[in-house]
Amino acid sequence: MKTIKLFAFLMAMAIAMPAAAQVKVLGKSGNTSTTTAKKTTTTTAKKSAAPKASSSSYGSDYSNEGWQGGVGIDYQIADNFNAFGLHARIMYGISEEMRLSLMDEFYFKDGLSYLDNLDFDFHYLFNVADNIHVYPFGGATIQLSKSKDMTMSVPDIDNNGNIIYTDQTFGGESMSAFGLNLGCGVQYAINDQIAISAEAKYRFYFKENYKGQFVLGAGLIYHF
Protein backbone atom coordinates (compact mmCIF):
# COMPACT_ATOMS: atom_id res chain seq x y z
CA MET A 1 0.00 0.00 0.00
CA LYS A 2 2.83 2.34 0.87
CA THR A 3 4.45 1.51 -2.42
CA ILE A 4 1.29 2.47 -4.33
CA LYS A 5 1.05 5.80 -2.46
CA LEU A 6 4.70 6.58 -3.13
CA PHE A 7 4.27 5.73 -6.80
CA ALA A 8 1.19 8.01 -7.04
CA PHE A 9 3.08 10.86 -5.35
CA LEU A 10 6.02 10.57 -7.75
CA MET A 11 3.67 10.51 -10.74
CA ALA A 12 1.90 13.67 -9.51
CA MET A 13 5.28 15.45 -9.09
CA ALA A 14 6.36 14.39 -12.57
CA ILE A 15 3.21 15.90 -14.08
CA ALA A 16 3.30 19.09 -11.95
CA MET A 17 6.97 20.07 -12.58
CA PRO A 18 6.78 20.57 -16.41
CA ALA A 19 3.55 22.56 -16.00
CA ALA A 20 5.22 24.82 -13.44
CA ALA A 21 8.23 25.29 -15.70
CA GLN A 22 5.98 26.25 -18.60
CA VAL A 23 4.15 28.83 -16.49
CA LYS A 24 7.49 30.33 -15.40
CA VAL A 25 8.74 30.65 -19.02
CA LEU A 26 5.49 32.23 -20.11
CA GLY A 27 5.77 34.73 -17.27
CA LYS A 28 9.24 35.80 -18.35
CA SER A 29 8.12 36.16 -21.95
CA GLY A 30 5.21 38.36 -20.90
CA ASN A 31 7.50 40.62 -18.87
CA THR A 32 9.82 41.05 -21.87
CA SER A 33 6.93 42.08 -24.09
CA THR A 34 5.75 44.53 -21.46
CA THR A 35 9.24 46.03 -21.17
CA THR A 36 9.56 46.36 -24.95
CA ALA A 37 6.17 48.05 -25.12
CA LYS A 38 7.22 50.47 -22.39
CA LYS A 39 10.45 51.33 -24.22
CA THR A 40 8.57 51.88 -27.49
CA THR A 41 6.02 54.10 -25.76
CA THR A 42 8.79 56.13 -24.04
CA THR A 43 10.73 56.58 -27.31
CA THR A 44 7.59 57.66 -29.17
CA ALA A 45 6.75 60.12 -26.41
CA LYS A 46 10.24 61.60 -26.51
CA LYS A 47 10.03 62.01 -30.28
CA SER A 48 6.66 63.68 -29.98
CA ALA A 49 7.96 66.02 -27.30
CA ALA A 50 10.94 67.12 -29.42
CA PRO A 51 10.49 70.77 -30.56
CA LYS A 52 9.67 71.29 -34.20
CA ALA A 53 11.98 73.36 -36.41
CA SER A 54 10.99 76.99 -36.46
CA SER A 55 9.08 78.01 -39.56
CA SER A 56 10.01 81.68 -39.15
CA SER A 57 12.13 83.30 -41.84
CA TYR A 58 15.86 83.87 -41.46
CA GLY A 59 15.19 87.60 -41.50
CA SER A 60 13.65 87.43 -38.04
CA ASP A 61 17.10 86.40 -36.74
CA TYR A 62 18.88 89.46 -38.22
CA SER A 63 20.62 91.36 -35.46
CA ASN A 64 21.41 95.08 -35.50
CA GLU A 65 24.07 94.53 -32.85
CA GLY A 66 27.76 94.25 -33.70
CA TRP A 67 29.70 95.10 -36.85
CA GLN A 68 28.00 95.64 -40.21
CA GLY A 69 29.24 96.87 -43.57
CA GLY A 70 27.53 98.05 -46.71
CA VAL A 71 27.74 99.48 -50.23
CA GLY A 72 25.23 101.34 -52.38
CA ILE A 73 24.35 104.16 -54.77
CA ASP A 74 23.33 107.78 -54.13
CA TYR A 75 21.85 110.74 -55.93
CA GLN A 76 22.64 114.24 -54.67
CA ILE A 77 20.24 117.08 -55.49
CA ALA A 78 21.28 120.72 -55.16
CA ASP A 79 20.83 123.96 -57.12
CA ASN A 80 22.44 123.26 -60.51
CA PHE A 81 24.60 120.62 -58.86
CA ASN A 82 22.97 117.21 -59.21
CA ALA A 83 25.25 114.17 -59.24
CA PHE A 84 25.26 110.37 -58.97
CA GLY A 85 27.59 108.65 -56.55
CA LEU A 86 28.60 105.45 -54.77
CA HIS A 87 29.02 104.84 -51.07
CA ALA A 88 30.73 102.44 -48.70
CA ARG A 89 29.97 102.30 -45.00
CA ILE A 90 30.90 100.61 -41.76
CA MET A 91 28.47 100.45 -38.83
CA TYR A 92 28.52 99.24 -35.24
CA GLY A 93 25.32 98.28 -33.44
CA ILE A 94 25.52 99.28 -29.78
CA SER A 95 22.19 97.48 -29.23
CA GLU A 96 19.21 96.35 -31.31
CA GLU A 97 17.95 99.97 -31.29
CA MET A 98 21.12 102.09 -31.46
CA ARG A 99 23.78 102.09 -34.16
CA LEU A 100 26.74 104.24 -35.25
CA SER A 101 27.51 104.67 -38.95
CA LEU A 102 30.53 105.98 -40.85
CA MET A 103 29.80 106.47 -44.57
CA ASP A 104 31.99 107.68 -47.42
CA GLU A 105 30.15 108.94 -50.53
CA PHE A 106 32.03 109.60 -53.76
CA TYR A 107 30.23 111.56 -56.50
CA PHE A 108 30.90 111.86 -60.23
CA LYS A 109 30.59 115.43 -61.52
CA ASP A 110 31.89 117.14 -64.64
CA GLY A 111 34.44 119.82 -63.89
CA LEU A 112 35.55 118.24 -60.60
CA SER A 113 38.49 115.95 -59.93
CA TYR A 114 36.60 114.60 -56.94
CA LEU A 115 33.61 115.32 -54.73
CA ASP A 116 33.60 113.35 -51.50
CA ASN A 117 31.33 113.39 -48.44
CA LEU A 118 32.25 111.73 -45.17
CA ASP A 119 29.23 111.27 -42.86
CA PHE A 120 29.27 110.16 -39.23
CA ASP A 121 25.71 109.42 -38.02
CA PHE A 122 23.73 107.96 -35.13
CA HIS A 123 20.77 105.68 -36.01
CA TYR A 124 17.84 104.82 -33.76
CA LEU A 125 15.94 101.79 -35.07
CA PHE A 126 12.24 101.00 -34.64
CA ASN A 127 10.99 97.49 -35.45
CA VAL A 128 7.73 98.33 -37.27
CA ALA A 129 6.99 94.93 -38.87
CA ASP A 130 8.45 91.48 -39.49
CA ASN A 131 12.09 92.00 -40.58
CA ILE A 132 11.50 95.75 -41.17
CA HIS A 133 13.15 98.61 -39.24
CA VAL A 134 12.69 102.35 -39.69
CA TYR A 135 15.46 104.58 -38.37
CA PRO A 136 15.73 108.35 -38.08
CA PHE A 137 19.34 109.49 -37.97
CA GLY A 138 21.51 112.55 -37.61
CA GLY A 139 25.15 113.48 -37.45
CA ALA A 140 28.06 115.39 -38.90
CA THR A 141 29.33 115.63 -42.47
CA ILE A 142 32.49 116.89 -44.14
CA GLN A 143 32.59 117.65 -47.87
CA LEU A 144 35.87 117.67 -49.77
CA SER A 145 36.11 118.69 -53.41
CA LYS A 146 38.61 119.82 -56.01
CA SER A 147 38.01 121.33 -59.43
CA LYS A 148 39.88 119.94 -62.41
CA ASP A 149 43.02 121.58 -63.79
CA MET A 150 42.19 124.09 -66.52
CA THR A 151 44.25 124.96 -69.60
CA MET A 152 43.69 128.43 -71.07
CA SER A 153 45.19 130.43 -73.93
CA VAL A 154 46.71 133.53 -72.39
CA PRO A 155 47.63 136.51 -74.60
CA ASP A 156 51.20 137.84 -74.50
CA ILE A 157 53.40 140.23 -76.56
CA ASP A 158 56.58 139.03 -78.18
CA ASN A 159 59.76 141.03 -78.75
CA ASN A 160 58.39 142.43 -82.02
CA GLY A 161 55.28 143.79 -80.37
CA ASN A 162 53.03 141.09 -81.79
CA ILE A 163 50.28 139.55 -79.72
CA ILE A 164 50.73 135.83 -79.23
CA TYR A 165 48.78 133.26 -77.26
CA THR A 166 50.30 130.63 -75.05
CA ASP A 167 48.56 127.78 -73.25
CA GLN A 168 48.79 127.85 -69.49
CA THR A 169 47.46 125.26 -67.04
CA PHE A 170 45.92 126.38 -63.78
CA GLY A 171 45.68 123.99 -60.87
CA GLY A 172 42.24 123.03 -59.58
CA GLU A 173 40.94 124.68 -56.44
CA SER A 174 40.44 122.50 -53.34
CA MET A 175 37.51 123.22 -51.07
CA SER A 176 36.12 121.78 -47.85
CA ALA A 177 33.09 122.43 -45.64
CA PHE A 178 31.66 121.09 -42.39
CA GLY A 179 27.95 120.53 -41.84
CA LEU A 180 25.19 118.36 -40.38
CA ASN A 181 23.00 115.48 -41.66
CA LEU A 182 19.35 114.86 -40.81
CA GLY A 183 17.41 112.01 -42.38
CA CYS A 184 15.44 108.80 -42.16
CA GLY A 185 15.94 105.28 -43.50
CA VAL A 186 14.19 101.94 -43.81
CA GLN A 187 15.84 98.52 -43.60
CA TYR A 188 14.50 95.09 -44.63
CA ALA A 189 16.28 91.89 -43.54
CA ILE A 190 16.46 89.34 -46.37
CA ASN A 191 18.10 86.71 -44.14
CA ASP A 192 20.10 86.58 -40.92
CA GLN A 193 23.15 88.30 -42.51
CA ILE A 194 21.94 90.50 -45.38
CA ALA A 195 19.56 93.46 -45.39
CA ILE A 196 18.63 96.11 -47.96
CA SER A 197 18.18 99.77 -47.06
CA ALA A 198 16.91 103.05 -48.49
CA GLU A 199 17.61 106.50 -47.05
CA ALA A 200 16.75 110.14 -47.58
CA LYS A 201 18.67 112.96 -45.89
CA TYR A 202 19.34 116.66 -46.00
CA ARG A 203 22.76 118.27 -45.52
CA PHE A 204 23.46 121.84 -44.60
CA TYR A 205 26.88 123.45 -44.16
CA PHE A 206 28.37 126.07 -41.90
CA LYS A 207 30.16 127.86 -44.72
CA GLU A 208 29.27 130.79 -46.89
CA ASN A 209 28.21 130.00 -50.47
CA TYR A 210 27.66 126.33 -49.58
CA LYS A 211 24.04 125.45 -50.24
CA GLY A 212 22.14 122.56 -48.69
CA GLN A 213 21.87 119.23 -50.47
CA PHE A 214 19.13 116.58 -50.54
CA VAL A 215 20.43 113.02 -50.95
CA LEU A 216 18.63 109.78 -51.84
CA GLY A 217 20.42 106.48 -51.37
CA ALA A 218 19.94 102.71 -51.47
CA GLY A 219 22.23 99.81 -50.66
CA LEU A 220 23.05 96.43 -49.17
CA ILE A 221 24.05 95.80 -45.56
CA TYR A 222 26.07 92.75 -44.46
CA HIS A 223 26.25 91.63 -40.83
CA PHE A 224 29.68 90.22 -39.97
Side-chain angles (χ1 to χ4, degrees):
M1 190 68 179
K2 289 182 178 179
T3 303
I4 294 172
K5 288 182 178 180
L6 180 60
F7 179 78
F9 176 76
L10 291 174
M11 288 293 292
M13 289 294 294
I15 294 170
M17 286 180 66
Q22 186 176 2
V23 170
K24 188 174 182 181
V25 170
L26 288 173
K28 286 184 177 181
S29 178
N31 289 341
T32 303
S33 300
T34 304
T35 305
T36 304
K38 286 182 178 178
K39 286 183 178 179
T40 304
T41 305
T42 304
T43 304
T44 305
K46 286 182 178 179
K47 286 183 179 179
S48 300
K52 294 182 178 179
S54 173
S55 60
S56 61
S57 64
Y58 287 106
S60 61
D61 296 327
Y62 186 89
S63 173
N64 292 310
E65 294 186 12
W67 290 102
Q68 302 157 63
V71 293
I73 59 174
D74 303 281
Y75 185 65
Q76 177 178 282
I77 303 170
D79 289 343
N80 300 319
F81 204 76
N82 300 347
F84 279 101
L86 300 174
H87 74 249
R89 76 195 318 175
I90 187 75
M91 299 185 290
Y92 181 75
I94 303 169
S95 68
E96 285 293 335
E97 293 80 24
M98 294 182 289
R99 184 169 65 191
L100 298 176
S101 170
L102 180 63
M103 176 187 284
D104 185 23
E105 300 172 15
F106 187 87
Y107 291 94
F108 304 94
K109 183 68 177 176
D110 291 339
L112 293 177
S113 294
Y114 63 81
L115 174 61
D116 193 77
N117 267 90
L118 192 64
D119 296 346
F120 182 73
D121 296 316
F122 172 79
H123 299 177
Y124 195 89
L125 297 103
F126 296 93
N127 187 201
V128 296
D130 231 6
N131 311 334
I132 300 176
H133 287 80
V134 171
Y135 54 96
F137 63 88
T141 183
I142 298 174
Q143 185 175 88
L144 304 172
S145 63
K146 182 181 179 181
S147 58
K148 289 183 178 179
D149 294 344
M150 296 181 62
T151 300
M152 299 179 61
S153 294
V154 178
D156 197 3
I157 300 177
D158 63 11
N159 295 331
N160 298 321
N162 299 318
I163 298 176
I164 59 173
Y165 290 87
T166 57
D167 291 338
Q168 294 187 18
T169 300
F170 299 91
E173 182 183 2
S174 297
M175 295 173 287
S176 63
F178 175 79
L180 296 177
N181 288 316
L182 289 175
C184 187
V186 60
Q187 169 185 300
Y188 174 74
I190 298 173
N191 56 40
D192 59 354
Q193 283 189 301
I194 298 175
I196 55 176
S197 66
E199 295 180 356
K201 61 187 173 185
Y202 184 78
R203 295 194 186 105
F204 57 93
Y205 298 95
F206 303 109
K207 186 171 184 177
E208 190 177 357
N209 298 326
Y210 261 73
K211 297 182 179 181
Q213 301 158 358
F214 183 68
V215 181
L216 298 173
L220 283 173
I221 300 172
Y222 182 81
H223 192 284
F224 297 106

